[in-house]
C-alpha cells in the first residue's frame, strides 16, 4: 500500500486542497510547455521537470524557475513575458474545456462536505474558479460549490514552500493551523503544509510517492478513494485497505 505509517491523532476540522493535479488534470503543464517557444527548448519541459521546478509556485516565480533551470541566462528579464504568454495559452485551453476533474477528488469533496468537515481551495493558480465552475456534479451543482472558501491565486508575501497561502486559508476559515489537513500533489506544497504546522496528504498520481514522502507527507496515497474519511473526522489520518476495510 503506497502510504506512510498512520499519522498521530489530532483534531482535524478543515481540509485544504491544492487544485492542479489534485482536483483537476489541468492544462497548466501543457500551457507552460507551449509558451516556452522562443524562450527555451520545450522538449526539456517534461512532467518531471514541471513537478520539480514549477508545480505549486505562483505564476511569475514558476516562470523564472523554469527558465533558470532550462539555462536561460536572462531568466529574470524574460520571466514576466513568459508568464504572460502562458496565461494566454491556459485561458484558451480552459475556455475550450481542455481539462478533466479527477473522479476520486470529486467523491472526496462530496464526502467531506457530508462529514461536516470544512474545505477550502488553496492553490497558487488564479484559474481555479474558471475551471471548477465548469465541472458539473450529478446534482446539478458545480465542483466549486462544494468548498466553503477559496483563497486560490491570492497575493501572499511568498509562494510555496512558504506556508503563507495555507495560513491565509486557515484564517479565512477561522480554524487553527494545527487542525488543518492539506491535500497536495507537489513536494513544495507538502513542505508548505509542514512549515505551517499542518497535517499533509500527498496524492501521487505520477508515480512520485518517494518525492512526496521525502518532502514530509504524513500520508501518501495513489487515489483519494483510499482515504478513510470516517477516521479523519475522529482525528486520525489513515488509508483504507484494498478491500475497503480499515488498513490498520
Amino acid at each position: 500500500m503506497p502510504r506512510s505509517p498512520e499519522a498521530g491523532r489530532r483534531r482535524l476540522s478543515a481540509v485544504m486542497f491544492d487544485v492542479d493535479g489534485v482536483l483537476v488534470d489541468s492544462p497548466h503543464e501543457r500551457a507552460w510547455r507551449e509558451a516556452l517557444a522562443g524562450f527555451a527548448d520545450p522538449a526539456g519541459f517534461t512532467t518531471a521537470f514541471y513537478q520539480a521546478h514549477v508545480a505549486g509556485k505562483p505564476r511569475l516565480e514558476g516562470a523564472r524557475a523554469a527558465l533558470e533551470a532550462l539555462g536561460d541566462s536572462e531568466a529574470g528579464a524574460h520571466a514576466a513575458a513568459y508568464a504572460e504568454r502562458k496565461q494566454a495559452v491556459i485561458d484558451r485551453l480552459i475556455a475550450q474545456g481542455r481539462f478533466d476533474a479527477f473522479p476520486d477528488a470529486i467523491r472526496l469533496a462530496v464526502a467531506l462536505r457530508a462529514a461536516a468537515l470544512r474545505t477550502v481551495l488553496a492553490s497558487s493558480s488564479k484559474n481555479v474558479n474558471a475551471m471548477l465552475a465548469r465541472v458539473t456534479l450529478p446534482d446539478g451543482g458545480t465542483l466549486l460549490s462544494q468548498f466553503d472558501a477559496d483563497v486560490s491565486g491570492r497575493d501572499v508575501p511568498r509562494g510555496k514552500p512558504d506556508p503563507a497561502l495555507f495560513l491565509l486559508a486557515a484564517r479565512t476559515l477561522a480554524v487553527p493551523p494545527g487542525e488543518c489537513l492539506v491535500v497536495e500533489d507537489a513536494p513544495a506544497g507538502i513542505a508548505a503544509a509542514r512549515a505551517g504546522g499542518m497535517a499533509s496528504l500527498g496524492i501521487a498520481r505520477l508515480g512520485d510517492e518517494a518525492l512526496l514522502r521525502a518532502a514530509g507527507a504524513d500520508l501518501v496515497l495513489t487515489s483519494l478513494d483510499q482515504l478513510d474519511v470516517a477516521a479523519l473526522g475522529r482525528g486520525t489520518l489513515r488509508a483504507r485497505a484494498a478491500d475497503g476495510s480499515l488498513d490498520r
Side-chain angles (χ1 to χ4, degrees), residues 176-188:
E179 295 182 16
C180 296
L181 169 67
V182 172
V183 185
E184 266 280 359
D185 73 317

Side-chain angles (χ1 to χ4, degrees), residues 138-160:
D139 66 1
T142 67
L143 183 53
L144 183 62
S145 69
Q146 293 299 302
F147 297 88
D148 296 298
D150 178 14
V151 299
S152 298
R154 296 272 291 274
D155 290 331
V156 291
R158 291 165 298 280
K160 304 170 189 178

Side-chain angles (χ1 to χ4, degrees), residues 217-234:
D218 294 301
L219 179 66
V220 177
L221 303 174
T222 56
S223 168
L224 294 175
D225 287 330
Q226 296 168 334
L227 181 64
D228 184 351
V229 174
L232 189 66
R234 298 191 296 271

Side-chain angles (χ1 to χ4, degrees), residues 94-181:
I94 291 173
Q96 294 172 345
R98 304 289 290 274
F99 66 93
D100 295 299
F102 292 111
D104 62 330
I106 293 175
R107 288 189 288 268
L108 178 58
V110 172
L112 291 173
R113 194 171 187 84
L117 285 164
R118 303 192 72 193
T119 54
V120 57
L121 298 163
S123 167
S124 300
S125 172
K126 296 182 183 295
N127 305 105
V128 167
N129 279 3
M131 287 192 293
L132 299 195
R134 293 178 64 98
V135 179
T136 304
L137 304 183
D139 66 1
T142 67
L143 183 53
L144 183 62
S145 69
Q146 293 299 302
F147 297 88
D148 296 298
D150 178 14
V151 299
S152 298
R154 296 272 291 274
D155 290 331
V156 291
R158 291 165 298 280
K160 304 170 189 178
D162 189 275
L165 186 63
F166 291 145
L167 293 173
L168 172 61
R171 290 195 300 272
T172 299
L173 292 181
V175 173
E179 295 182 16
C180 296
L181 169 67

